[in-house]
Amino acid sequence: MCGFLGAVDFDKRLEVIQPLLSKGLKAIAHRGPDSSKEQFFDNVYLGHNRLSIIDLSESGNQPMKSVNAEAYIIYNGEVYNYMELKNELKGTRFNSNSDSEVVMEGYLKEGTDFFKKLRGIYAFAIYDNRLTQKVILARDPAGVKPLYYFNKSGFHIFGSEIKALLPGVKDKVTINEDVIKTFLNLGYCPEPDTVYKEIIALAPGSVYEIQNGKTSKTGFKKYDFEYENSNDVNRNTSDTETHLQTAVKRNLTSDVEVAVALSGGIDSSLIYAYANKSDSDIKGLTVKFDDEEYNEEELSKVYSKTLEGKHEFVEVESELNLETLNKIIINFDQPYADSSAINVYYLTKATGKITKVLLGGDGGDELYNGYPSMTWLTYIERFNNNALLKRSGSAFLKAAEKILNINHKRSVKRIADLWKDDQSELLYDWHSWFPRKTLINGKSPFLFDATSGLNNYKKIFEDQMPHKFKGKVVFDYFRKQMLSDYLRKTDMMSMLNSVEYRVPLLDEDLTDLALSIPFDQKSSLKATKKILRDIHSRIYPADTSKAPKKGFTIPLDSSLSKEDFNLIKDSITSPGNFLSEYISKEYVKFLFDVLEKKVSADDEISRAGVYQRILMFYSLNLWYGSL
């Protein structure tokens, strides 16, 4: 796992900005502390920071040239089946034992069709200087590894993080207002757009080609969110078990120690089980928290004891301060406000002292309906399409809101708002931490058209959107929320600590299978993730397989010192701050009044909802202040 930066300028002006390119590469040194190297050609620059995982020798350093110097590669990630592919490239000479060289030589022999054979997590750039010079960019089908690019007036720059691009283009980029408005609902900036109009995230499973001043985009892997196979649940469960075992075995490919992030969840414990089956020496690493609500020590002990596997508890820093919070937020290079990033930062910081490679359980919820909302959203949509049910449902919700306790009142009120939505609105409004329909004293707190974020969200990957609503639900969680929030969180936080975070459940073949399984086989109103729970119950005690999904959020007002929290308050309430262009001062004051118990709003918003919105506001101001 590494970080790279590249540039192409057919007018040969790269020498002029060489110091800026070097500065950009240095900005992502945390992604690859083991080696750093730059190389300039007539009109191409390639820079690379290496985290050594496969072939630890110097022959694995990059930019790496092919045996006959026809091409060079800069690469971030891992291709787990590289040895199989290497054996297929008969007659090809190699200078190293790295997966990077296999990707480059495979491309030289078979072109971009070779990328269809890759199984792994990756983003890379290949400089092909054969007959006509061209640069090829590619990204893995799930979008686990990031890749951003800029293209203007014949100048192209691309890299693993936005911060690497900015020194070379800072005077050429402008703020994307549409993305900011979307962020103010969701708490993250949805790909392929970024907070800069001119910087784009390459779509997962696609190739971007730069040649003779022209560019083209093609897809080499597209997941099908429509298809439902005819196999019964027993066959699909058996196939899932087989594919999961293969996926985990692939993810163990490494020349350094690999460990599993073992929580109390279904997904991570399944990965631990299959990893242990392939390698009985593999460690399960469990984070110990002082807060019992998040402490999964006892459940993880059950898992390791059942398997008689190796298990280690990791102590993490639990004292959050503003300096650390700022470091985490600013690292995202654009507004970002998922507070669980703090947990991932501490997890990977602690485990980085033990190993460079960590397997996590991400993707299981999106592929196997692990969120209860995935199922009940389909019922709301069904009711919304029936006029009689819609009317009777609205009447029931109004009555229920009057008699239920505060927590349930908020839930009913939220559902009542969703009751009026069409399909695209329903998904967006459910995912919004700060819903566009929010009111304060009968007025919207948004100082812009509150449908702006929704309209921008609708355009995201609209050419890939499935027709059936159940497919749209899975697509929305997988291709929007997971890609732009969860995968960015794990990549940016793990790489900040120079740790490679792998995701076996997003293996290409397992993902294809999971997306082919009928929606209702995977969940019901009573149970989530039914197939994975069934497999889990055959390995571990049955009661552990019934455990509900746990989330993780950080209560900022109690986690930070009073002094630090007051600095956050000053940032978003000071006259003329950037946030004040988008959100009314009245609403910002209201949120702090709720936390300080000057007003009661228990039936409108939870404490978690209050500090989540405060984090969103602070993140926006902090990002703008860092420009």
Side-chain angles (χ1 to χ4, degrees):
M1 204 64 68
C2 310
F4 65 77
L5 176 65
V8 179
D9 190 340
F10 292 102
D11 290 335
K12 300 184 180 180
R13 296 167 293 186
L14 291 179
E15 295 87 351
V16 178
I17 65 165
Q18 178 176 350
L20 298 177
L21 295 172
S22 297
K23 182 180 179 181
L25 184 64
K26 189 175 181 180
I28 56 169
H30 52 270
R31 296 187 73 94
D34 295 331
S35 171
S36 185
K37 183 181 172 185
E38 298 175 282
Q39 196 156 354
F40 278 88
F41 305 88
D42 285 345
N43 48 21
V44 174
Y45 161 85
L46 300 176
H48 190 265
N49 295 317
R50 186 183 183 205
L51 182 67
S52 306
I53 304 294
I54 293 176
D55 186 354
L56 309 184
S57 72
E58 289 186 6
S59 62
N61 290 348
Q62 300 172 37
M64 177 187 289
K65 69 178 179 180
S66 61
V67 171
N68 52 15
E70 289 182 333
Y72 293 78
I73 189 170
I74 46 178
Y75 173 91
N76 168 32
E78 308 293 348
V79 169
Y80 307 128
N81 63 332
Y82 78 100
M83 287 302 296
E84 299 166 33
L85 299 176
K86 188 174 185 177
N87 292 334
E88 291 177 12
L89 296 171
K90 295 178 180 177
T92 302
R93 290 188 299 122
F94 293 90
N95 288 325
S96 75
N97 294 313
S98 75
D99 54 331
S100 310
E101 190 176 19
V102 172
V103 172
M104 177 170 54
E105 293 293 347
Y107 160 76
L108 287 172
K109 188 171 184 178
E110 301 180 18
T112 57
D113 280 347
F114 184 74
F115 303 158
K116 297 175 184 178
K117 299 179 179 181
L118 306 182
R119 296 293 179 267
I121 53 177
Y122 52 83
F124 55 81
I126 297 175
Y127 171 41
D128 182 349
N129 63 356
R130 289 180 288 184
L131 295 177
T132 58
Q133 292 183 325
K134 59 182 174 181
V135 173
I136 303 290
L137 309 182
R139 187 181 183 196
D140 69 75
V144 177
K145 303 316 298 175
L147 180 49
Y148 302 94
Y149 67 89
F150 168 100
N151 169 24
K152 192 173 183 180
S153 302
F155 175 64
H156 310 264
I157 189 168
F158 46 88
S160 300
E161 295 185 20
I162 293 173
K163 65 172 66 68
L165 279 63
L166 286 179
V169 300
K170 202 156 190 179
D171 60 340
K172 299 180 180 69
V173 295
T174 53
I175 293 173
N176 192 330
E177 298 278 349
D178 289 339
V179 169
I180 287 177
K181 292 169 183 176
T182 311
F183 164 79
L184 282 169
N185 291 141
L186 299 176
Y188 61 88
C189 299
E191 295 187 15
D193 295 333
T194 74
V195 76
Y196 301 101
K197 288 181 182 178
E198 298 80 6
I199 297 178
I200 306 297
L202 182 63
S206 65
V207 171
Y208 184 76
E209 186 172 323
I210 306 166
Q211 184 176 17
N212 296 328
K214 297 180 180 179
T215 63
S216 63
K217 288 186 210 176
T218 55
F220 66 88
K221 173 64 180 179
K222 184 179 179 181
Y223 288 123
D224 186 352
F225 293 85
E226 291 279 17
Y227 178 70
E228 292 192 354
N229 66 35
S230 57
N231 292 336
D232 64 22
V233 67
N234 291 329
R235 172 68 182 275
N236 286 325
T237 300
S238 174
D239 287 348
T240 294
E241 194 169 7
T242 300
H243 279 68
L244 180 55
Q245 184 168 339
T246 299
V248 172
K249 189 173 183 178
R250 282 175 177 164
N251 275 255
L252 296 177
T253 303
S254 174
D255 290 335
V256 299
E257 182 181 1
V258 178
V260 177
L262 178 61
S263 70
I266 300 294
D267 303 329
S268 70
S269 52
L270 279 174
I271 291 169
Y272 179 59
Y274 290 116
N276 187 270
K277 191 172 183 180
S278 294
D279 178 6
S280 59
D281 287 330
I282 198 162
K283 289 178 185 174
L285 302 182
T286 300
V287 176
K288 293 179 70 172
F289 288 102
D290 294 334
D291 191 332
E292 284 303 314
E293 184 179 354
Y294 305 119
N295 192 0
E296 298 177 298
E297 184 177 346
E298 292 307 315
L299 199 50
S300 65
K301 281 182 180 177
V302 173
Y303 296 144
S304 60
K305 186 176 180 181
T306 300
L307 299 179
E308 297 182 350
K310 292 191 175 181
H311 191 197
E312 192 168 323
F313 292 97
V314 180
E315 299 283 351
V316 302
E317 299 175 28
S318 56
E319 292 296 323
L320 179 65
N321 55 53
L322 194 58
E323 181 182 359
T324 301
L325 180 64
N326 289 350
K327 177 182 178 180
I328 289 169
I329 294 174
I330 289 175
N331 187 60
F332 282 93
D333 303 331
Q334 52 185 340
Y336 183 85
D338 185 338
S339 64
S340 63
I342 299 167
N343 178 41
V344 179
Y345 170 78
Y346 282 134
L347 164 66
T348 54
K349 184 178 180 181
T351 57
K353 298 172 183 176
I354 300 170
T355 178
K356 284 183 177 181
V357 181
L358 194 62
L359 307 190
D362 305 64
D365 290 318
E366 289 75 16
L367 292 174
Y368 284 92
N369 297 8
Y371 304 102
S373 54
M374 294 179 80
T375 299
W376 58 254
L377 280 169
T378 65
Y379 281 83
I380 292 178
E381 189 271 340
R382 191 184 306 172
F383 290 148
N384 282 354
N385 284 332
N386 184 301
L388 179 60
L389 288 173
K390 191 170 185 177
R391 284 196 301 272
S392 59
S394 295
F396 170 77
L397 289 170
K398 286 180 181 178
E401 195 175 337
K402 294 178 181 178
I403 61 174
L404 292 172
N405 64 35
I406 286 173
N407 288 334
H408 288 118
K409 274 186 179 181
R410 285 198 302 266
S411 300
V412 169
K413 189 173 182 180
R414 184 84 186 273
I415 293 172
D417 283 339
L418 298 177
W419 211 262
K420 306 164 190 175
D421 284 351
D422 65 23
Q423 288 186 356
S424 59
E425 293 173 334
L426 182 60
L427 292 166
Y428 182 74
D429 288 339
W430 170 248
H431 288 315
S432 293
W433 273 101
F434 188 12
R436 61 192 174 91
K437 297 177 185 178
T438 302
L439 297 174
I440 178 169
N441 297 326
K443 296 186 299 183
S444 172
F446 300 102
L447 302 180
F448 55 87
D449 182 353
T451 63
S452 298
L454 170 66
N455 293 335
N456 185 54
Y457 191 76
K458 285 180 180 179
K459 294 184 295 183
I460 298 169
F461 301 119
E462 62 183 344
D463 59 322
Q464 301 178 30
M465 182 69 71
H467 297 292
K468 296 177 183 177
F469 185 67
K470 288 178 179 178
K472 288 179 179 179
V473 170
V474 177
F475 179 87
D476 195 86
Y477 274 87
F478 183 93
R479 189 51 85 210
K480 295 188 178 184
Q481 188 173 57
M482 183 184 75
L483 173 66
S484 301
D485 184 355
Y486 305 150
L487 292 182
R488 294 292 64 73
K489 169 183 64 183
T490 51
D491 175 79
M492 296 296 280
M493 293 297 93
S494 61
M495 293 309 297
L496 183 57
N497 290 308
S498 303
V499 170
E500 177 173 295
Y501 190 86
R502 297 181 177 182
V503 281
L505 283 157
L506 292 178
D507 173 86
E508 291 89 336
D509 299 322
L510 178 59
T511 298
D512 274 328
L513 170 66
L515 293 176
S516 77
I517 297 174
F519 187 95
D520 295 332
Q521 281 189 18
K522 294 187 281 190
S523 66
S524 66
L525 283 175
K526 292 183 178 179
T528 61
K529 221 156 31 181
K530 292 194 291 186
I531 288 176
L532 294 186
R533 290 181 188 277
D534 185 7
I535 297 170
H536 192 273
S537 67
R538 301 174 196 174
I539 301 171
Y540 297 113
D543 59 326
T544 65
S545 306
K546 299 173 184 176
K549 179 176 176 58
K550 280 190 176 184
F552 189 94
T553 57
I554 298 287
L556 293 179
D557 56 327
S558 59
S559 299
L560 293 169
S561 69
K562 187 174 182 180
E563 180 183 0
D564 280 347
F565 194 70
N566 283 338
L567 289 173
I568 289 179
K569 182 178 180 181
D570 290 343
S571 165
I572 60 181
T573 58
S574 60
N577 72 82
F578 187 63
L579 174 70
S580 64
E581 297 180 23
Y582 297 93
I583 305 297
S584 72
K585 295 177 183 178
E586 180 185 13
Y587 189 77
V588 177
K589 182 179 182 301
F590 161 75
L591 292 180
F592 283 104
D593 285 347
V594 171
L595 283 184
E596 294 166 6
K597 299 183 179 176
K598 294 178 181 178
V599 298
S600 176
D602 289 341
D603 58 340
E604 295 179 37
I605 185 171
S606 66
R607 177 169 169 252
V610 171
Y611 61 69
Q612 177 61 41
R613 293 176 197 182
I614 287 174
L615 182 61
M616 290 165 70
F617 298 164
Y618 180 64
S619 174
L620 180 63
N621 267 2
L622 192 64
W623 164 78
Y624 185 75
S626 68
L627 296 182

